[in-house]
């Protein structure tokens, strides 16, 4: 069965590719963002922070994440995508703008069966509908409770269960039917930053499982009732401080 995947270049995506290869469903084509695409993605993220919290929060967010990442743990050591494309036998292409006509024409010419979105930003209906079997996305929370962004922090603040979900993509944010989900328990003494990185690994594994089941026809869909959920936006420093405090209470030795 022809299976196509659409991935943005991140540590998580390399884990997804490696896991799919092990399961006998290595991607045939991988799209990664060009330097232009990455700058555009960062610009949109900055604009979102400014919209919700103002200009000063952009600096605060950068400093907070820089401090956290210094002690947040490490990811598995994997080869660059350029090397993986040879060992895993997939074609590697770059794009500048994900919803451009040029990119869309190339993607639809491939006639993908399955499409995985991973860190690529918001896509349009044409991208979603290009996959004949389904379009998949991973989410670092248990749907339908917490949709949107910074959901690990919001889950800590709101008292939700932590977990990861793989779901079918629809035009609404994190609204498609659920393919699979897993509850994740924080470990004693674990920092929120380290937990966030562990969740990235577990989310990649959940996507691999869901994509494999979808390709093999062994998947079972669960309705994602977004009427029972809340859509969350970017956190500010006060929110992140509250999230760390509540998470620390959960992980006391």
């Amino acid at each position: 069965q022809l299976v196509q995947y659409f991935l943005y270049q991140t540590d998580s995506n390399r884990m997804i590719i490696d896991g799919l290869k092990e399961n006998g469903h290595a991607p045939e084509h991988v799209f990664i963002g060009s330097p232009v695409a990455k700058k555009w993605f960062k610009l949109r993220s900055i604009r979102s922070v400014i919209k919700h919290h103002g200009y000063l929060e952009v600096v605060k967010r950068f400093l907070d994440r820089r401090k956290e990442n210094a002690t947040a743990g490490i990811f598995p050591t994997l080869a660059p995508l350029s090397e993986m494309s040879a060992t895993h036998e997939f074609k590697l292409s770059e794009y500048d703008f994900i919803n451009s006509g040029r990119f869309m024409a190339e993607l639809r010419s491939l006639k993908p069966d399955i499409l995985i979105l991973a860190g690529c930003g918001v896509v349009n209906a044409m991208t979603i509908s290009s996959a004949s079997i389904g379009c998949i996305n991973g989410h670092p929370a248990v749907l339908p409770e917490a949709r949107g962004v910074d959901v690990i922090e919001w889950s800590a603040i709101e008292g939700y269960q932590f977990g990861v979900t793989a779901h079918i993509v629809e035009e609404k944010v994190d609204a498609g039917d659920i393919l699979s989900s897993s509850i994740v328990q924080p470990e004693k003494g674990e920092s929120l930053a380290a937990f966030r990185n562990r969740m990235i690994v577990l989310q990649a594994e959940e996507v691999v499982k869901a994509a494999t089941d979808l390709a093999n026809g062994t998947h079972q869909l669960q309705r994602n009732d977004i009427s029972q959920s809340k859509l969350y936006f970017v956190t500010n420093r006060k929110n992140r401080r509250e999230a760390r405090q509540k998470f620390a209470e959960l992980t006391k030795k």
Side-chain angles (χ1 to χ4, degrees):
Q1 181 184 14
L2 173 64
V3 180
Q4 300 275 352
Y5 299 92
F6 171 71
L7 306 172
Y8 193 87
Q9 184 168 304
T10 64
D11 292 318
S12 175
N13 291 151
R14 287 192 284 272
M15 287 182 268
I16 291 172
I17 294 171
D18 211 46
L20 291 169
K21 175 70 173 180
E22 291 180 4
N23 288 356
H25 291 291
E28 294 193 9
H29 203 114
V30 174
F31 289 91
I32 62 173
S34 68
V36 172
K38 292 173 185 177
K39 289 179 181 178
W40 181 247
F41 185 84
K42 288 180 180 178
L43 178 61
R44 291 186 63 178
S45 298
I46 291 171
R47 289 176 63 185
S48 178
V49 174
I50 293 171
K51 176 183 177 181
H52 290 95
H53 304 298
Y55 288 92
L56 184 58
E57 184 58 38
V58 174
V59 178
K60 292 178 181 178
R61 190 177 182 87
F62 172 78
L63 293 175
D64 285 349
R65 287 297 168 88
R66 185 176 181 180
K67 181 179 179 180
E68 288 178 352
N69 290 338
T71 57
I74 59 174
F75 292 100
T77 302
L78 295 171
L81 283 184
S82 56
E83 293 182 19
M84 293 182 77
S85 66
T87 58
H88 292 44
E89 299 180 338
F90 60 80
K91 183 178 179 182
L92 188 61
S93 300
E94 280 193 350
Y95 68 88
D96 289 335
F97 301 102
I98 190 171
N99 292 318
S100 68
R102 180 178 179 181
F103 168 76
M104 193 60 56
E106 182 178 0
L107 175 63
R108 295 187 75 86
S109 71
L110 297 173
K111 298 180 179 179
D113 291 328
I114 296 175
L115 205 56
I116 293 180
L117 308 180
C120 61
V122 178
V123 300
N124 60 24
M126 290 288 286
T127 296
I128 297 169
S129 65
S130 66
S132 60
I133 294 178
C135 185
I136 302 174
N137 183 52
H139 185 67
V142 180
L143 292 175
E145 280 185 331
R147 298 159 50 228
V149 298
D150 288 354
V151 288
I152 296 175
E153 287 81 359
W154 287 118
S155 293
I157 293 169
E158 302 282 13
Y160 298 147
Q161 290 189 100
F162 296 103
V164 291
T165 304
H167 64 94
I168 298 294
V169 178
E170 294 184 358
E171 286 189 73
K172 291 184 178 179
V173 177
D174 301 324
D177 287 341
I178 297 166
L179 285 162
S180 64
S181 63
S182 299
I183 303 298
V184 180
Q185 298 294 344
E187 297 176 353
K188 288 185 177 181
E190 188 173 30
S191 70
L192 181 57
F195 181 72
R196 189 189 300 114
N197 277 0
R198 184 158 68 91
M199 289 280 279
I200 291 173
V201 176
L202 295 174
Q203 180 180 314
E205 293 174 353
E206 199 74 27
V207 169
V208 169
K209 177 183 180 298
T212 301
D213 287 345
L214 189 61
N216 293 336
T218 56
H219 63 286
Q220 292 185 336
L221 292 175
Q222 176 185 344
R223 182 169 176 251
N224 184 9
D225 185 1
I226 61 173
S227 68
Q228 304 299 315
S229 71
K230 183 175 179 180
L231 181 60
Y232 291 92
F233 299 95
V234 291
T235 54
N236 58 27
R237 176 166 279 185
K238 181 180 178 181
N239 299 143
R240 293 190 294 276
R241 186 181 298 114
E242 182 181 1
R244 287 195 300 270
Q245 290 172 346
K246 290 192 173 184
F247 189 83
E249 293 174 3
L250 294 173
T251 58
K252 284 181 180 178
K253 293 184 179 180

